[in-house]
Amino acid sequence: MTAPDETPLPAEHRARLAARLDDVLARIDTAAERAGRDGREITVLLATKTRTPAEIAAAVELLQARERRLAVGENRAQEIAKHSHPLLADDGVPRHFIGRLQTNKARDVVAFAETIHSVDREGIADALERRAEMAGVTRQVLVQVNTSGEESKGGFAPTLEALGPIVERLRRSPVLHPVGLMTIGANTADADAVRASLRSLRTLRDALRTEHGAQELVELSMGMSGDLEIAVEEGATIVRVGSAIFGARPA
Ligand SMILES: *Cc1c(COP(=O)(O)O)cnc(C)c1O
């Protein structure tokens, strides 16, 4: 085996990354201000799929230097291994898993992530719970909600009838702790439709807190490169940003 490449990002590439990142932070702060919020309360989750360890390490350093709340989110189980790279292994940043979950990857995901955003069906909660118990760990989880109704998207239906039972099931778990809801906004240029889908996540979270007593549901994971302002205005506590920071993904 060859030693991992520990070359940091070339200065020019790093400067472009810093410029994009500052632009994203300004977008978050401006939207937060409009909503009477403080942008620094919002966690910037770096969506790292397809990115190299050097790119991820540079983005982590830049966010740390700006004293922002941050997390590193992976959405592909097959890319988990890259996070053990020497440039990333000891960065002290919480790892989250944000992608479609397969039961046969539950062990890897539980080993990797302290927070899992994409509990989108009952069976995956069972698999994560079993693996967390075997590993002797606890994990924070978010319930994914399909707020747009788009068939390509995973998640529970955006109703209290659908969400109540899974939240209650997770609250009874000795090892999984539900902390909030996650959604991927409607995939459309229609800002009103995007806003409606994101707003419904907050409404559902608030209803679960009042009607099911689930006060621990504090997180709203919503907003990506294209819709993060709307998400921040609608109450996002975690925005998941990839291309706006790292540049367009290679096809
Ligand atoms: C890739 C990804 C993101 C980030 O998407 P961008 O549009 O590149 O910001 C957010 N959430 C999930 C679940 C993703 O897979």
Side-chain angles (χ1 to χ4, degrees):
M1 232 173 76
T2 53
D5 180 7
E6 295 188 44
T7 320
L9 220 52
E12 221 176 280
H13 190 158
R14 188 186 157 90
R16 279 198 302 276
L17 186 70
R20 282 192 299 260
L21 186 128
D22 283 329
D23 183 56
V24 164
L25 296 181
R27 288 172 60 195
I28 291 171
D29 290 347
T30 306
E33 216 167 288
R34 276 199 296 276
R37 306 180 64 197
D38 178 354
R40 294 182 171 270
E41 291 168 4
I42 296 161
T43 296
V44 179
L45 179 150
L46 294 167
T48 57
K49 58 177 173 276
T50 76
R51 302 303 170 177
T52 65
E55 289 175 290
I56 301 164
V60 164
E61 261 180 54
L62 290 162
L63 281 166
Q64 285 173 331
R66 287 153 179 73
E67 299 185 355
R68 302 298 289 225
R69 290 193 184 170
L70 77 152
V72 164
E74 188 51 69
N75 82 328
R76 295 181 177 175
Q78 66 272 28
E79 289 193 47
I80 284 173
K82 88 183 168 202
H83 294 271
S84 339
H85 188 282
L87 287 171
L88 296 174
D90 303 315
D91 61 19
V93 178
R95 263 31 181 197
H96 292 203
F97 191 80
I98 62 175
R100 179 70 60 97
L101 282 157
Q102 292 167 272
T103 49
N104 65 355
K105 298 283 193 248
R107 180 169 66 166
D108 296 344
V109 168
V110 162
F112 169 72
E114 66 168 56
T115 304
I116 299 156
H117 290 226
S118 36
V119 174
D120 62 356
R121 56 200 192 279
E122 185 100 22
I124 206 69
D126 300 341
L128 293 172
E129 179 171 74
R130 196 165 56 246
R131 289 303 181 173
E133 273 171 348
M134 287 170 71
V137 297
T138 62
R139 291 293 179 248
Q140 301 191 337
V141 295
L142 286 76
V143 175
Q144 184 170 349
V145 185
N146 186 351
T147 55
S148 66
E150 289 164 22
E151 258 177 52
S152 60
K153 296 204 172 116
F156 288 86
T159 64
L160 271 187
E161 293 67 38
L163 291 172
I166 182 67
V167 167
E168 307 256 341
R169 184 249 177 274
L170 291 169
R171 294 182 83 200
R172 285 193 302 270
S173 173
V175 290
L176 302 179
H177 302 311
V179 295
L181 303 181
M182 178 272 222
T183 198
I184 299 172
N187 182 19
T188 165
D190 176 355
D192 291 337
V194 174
R195 188 177 296 279
S197 75
L198 299 181
R199 180 171 295 172
S200 72
L201 197 72
R202 183 183 53 185
T203 306
L204 288 161
R205 194 263 325 251
D206 292 349
L208 287 163
R209 290 178 59 143
T210 53
E211 292 176 35
H212 288 259
Q215 289 300 326
E216 68 272 39
L217 300 182
V218 294
E219 306 289 358
L220 290 174
S221 169
M222 59 187 193
M224 311 185 359
S225 291
D227 59 5
L228 62 87
E229 286 93 343
I230 298 174
V232 166
E233 288 172 9
E234 295 300 331
T237 62
I238 305 173
V239 292
R240 309 180 306 269
V241 191
S243 50
I245 290 176
F246 293 111
R249 269 184 293 281

